Amino acid sequence: MQTKELTLKPVTPYCGAYVENIDLAESLDDETVEALTSALAEHCVLFFRDQEMSPAQQKDLGQRFGELHLHPAWPRLVEGHPEVMEIYADENSRIIAGEDWHSDVSCDREPPLGTILYMLEVPPVGGDTLFANMYAAFDSLSDRMQRFLEGLTAVHDGEPFYRGRYDGAKEEGKVYPRSEHPVVRTHPISGRKLLFVNRIFTTRIVELEKDESDAILRMLFDHIQQPEFQCRFQWDVGSVAFWDNRCAQHHAMWDYYPNRRRGLRVTIKGDAPFYRPE
Ligand code: SIN
C-alpha cells in the first residue's frame, strides 16, 4: 500500500495538474484515492510521468475508483482483458479514437466517471491530447444564457458516430446507446455546475425546435473549444492521463500520420448525470 503526500502542479489556471511522487502500479491506499478523486474533480485531468504498469495493474488502478466500463463499440481490446482498450494508430489507420471534442461514451445512460490512458509508444512529434474544463465553459456564459440552459435536456446518441466507424457493416441491426442528459450538469463530487454537451454524441436539445437546437448546440460546441479552458498534454512513453469524464472534454490530435502511437485505456463506470439547482 502506498501512502504519500501527493505533489500537484497545475498545468494552466483552468485545466490539468501534474501529480508527482506516486507509483500507479502500486496499490493505492484509501487516503491517496480520496486525494486523487478530489484533485480530479478540481483540475479535470491529472497527468503522471514515468509510470510502468501491466494491463492487470492498470485495471487494479481503475478499480480503486469504481467498477470498470466495457466500451459498446471499440474493436481493439487487450486479449484476456476486455476492460482494456488499445488506442492505436499507424500508417494503415483510417480513423483514430477521439479525434474531436467529446466526453467518452456520453451516449450511455450512466456515462463513464473517468478514463485512464497509459501511453506505450509515441510518435517522434505530435499525438498530443487536448483537454478542456467544462466548469469554466459554463461559468463564462452570461447569467441569462446560464439560466436559459439550466433545466434543458439533450439527446446523446452513439449510433451516428459508432455505426460503421469502429465496428463496420457486420454490426447491422446492432442497437447503440442513446440517452438524454441535462445540458447543465452538477458534478457529484465538487457540486459545481458544468456544460455537458459535446460534438461527437450530442444531437438535439429536447425542449427546442430542431433549428433552435442546432443553433444553440453549434454555439455551445464553439464556446467549449476556447483555448482559455484548455491544456495540452505531450505524451512520453510511460505517461498517464486520468481525466474526469464529467467535467473534462478531450480531443486527440492525429497530426503524426504515418507514425505510430499506442496506449492502453481503462474506463471507470459513472452515474446518471443530474442537475441540482442551488
Ligand atoms: C480517447 O480515448 O478519446 C483517445 C485519447 C487519445 O488517444 O489521446
Side-chain angles (χ1 to χ4, degrees):
M1 287 275 170
Q2 178 167 218
T3 321
K4 271 188 195 146
E5 192 76 8
L6 297 181
T7 312
L8 284 171
K9 293 197 173 147
V11 182
T12 72
Y14 288 118
C15 195
Y18 288 100
V19 184
E20 294 173 354
N21 205 25
I22 187 164
D23 178 356
L24 297 175
E26 278 185 31
S27 140
L28 306 180
D29 65 13
D30 292 346
E31 223 171 276
T32 308
V33 171
E34 211 174 293
L36 288 173
T37 300
S38 60
L40 195 59
E42 182 184 344
H43 296 281
C44 304
V45 53
L46 302 177
F47 302 118
F48 308 82
R49 297 287 188 195
D50 304 319
Q51 301 293 321
E52 213 177 316
M53 289 186 278
S54 66
Q57 285 170 323
Q58 192 175 352
K59 284 198 313 192
D60 285 347
L61 171 66
Q63 278 162 344
R64 291 297 281 126
F65 297 86
E67 217 180 306
L68 297 185
H69 173 271
L70 294 175
H71 197 279
W74 189 249
R76 296 184 75 106
L77 303 172
V78 173
E79 209 182 324
H81 302 281
E83 310 89 342
V84 185
M85 291 166 57
E86 187 184 40
I87 301 295
Y88 182 86
D90 65 13
E91 73 279 10
N92 298 313
S93 302
R94 294 293 162 262
I95 51 161
I96 63 155
E99 202 194 356
D100 204 347
W101 285 104
H102 69 289
S103 167
D104 289 328
V105 204
S106 69
C107 50
D108 268 3
R109 200 179 66 79
E110 296 182 336
L113 169 163
T115 299
I116 300 171
L117 178 57
Y118 167 47
M119 204 52 73
L120 294 168
E121 279 183 67
V122 293
V125 64
D128 298 350
T129 308
L130 278 59
F131 294 89
N133 176 330
M134 292 301 110
Y135 303 123
F138 176 73
D139 291 346
S140 66
L141 293 168
S142 65
D143 287 350
R144 287 298 286 265
M145 182 53 74
Q146 290 182 351
R147 271 182 278 136
F148 170 71
L149 296 174
E150 286 179 58
L152 294 179
T153 315
V155 175
H156 294 238
D157 193 353
E159 180 159 2
F161 185 69
Y162 291 140
R163 184 176 289 287
R165 182 181 170 86
Y166 293 153
D167 45 15
K170 68 179 166 38
E171 294 294 344
E172 214 51 50
K174 176 169 174 172
V175 177
Y176 293 84
R178 185 178 193 273
S179 306
E180 291 183 10
H181 300 307
V183 168
V184 179
R185 149 178 206 187
T186 304
H187 194 288
I189 305 290
S190 67
R192 293 180 63 189
K193 291 178 196 166
L194 61 106
L195 272 181
F196 196 67
V197 291
N198 68 83
R199 274 190 198 281
I200 285 190
F201 296 113
T202 314
T203 54
R204 176 77 193 257
I205 297 180
V206 178
E207 295 83 358
L208 304 182
E209 295 297 335
K210 174 147 187 347
D211 287 354
E212 297 170 337
S213 163
D214 288 349
I216 294 290
L217 285 178
R218 208 164 34 243
M219 181 276 287
L220 291 176
F221 295 156
D222 287 347
H223 172 73
I224 278 165
Q225 342 186 158
Q226 286 182 46
E228 290 79 1
F229 310 145
Q230 297 175 19
C231 68
R232 181 175 183 129
F233 187 53
Q234 291 185 310
W235 297 90
D236 291 319
V237 172
S239 298
V240 172
F242 184 178
W243 57 90
D244 186 318
N245 195 51
R246 302 162 292 194
C247 56
Q249 288 196 30
H250 59 286
H251 180 312
M253 294 299 299
W254 194 18
D255 52 0
Y256 52 91
Y257 182 87
N259 290 302
R260 195 156 72 181
R261 178 178 181 270
R262 179 169 167 262
L264 298 180
R265 173 184 139 163
V266 297
T267 309
I268 302 148
K269 283 187 181 177
D271 302 326
F274 62 89
Y275 164 68
R276 192 170 49 222
E278 280 104 338

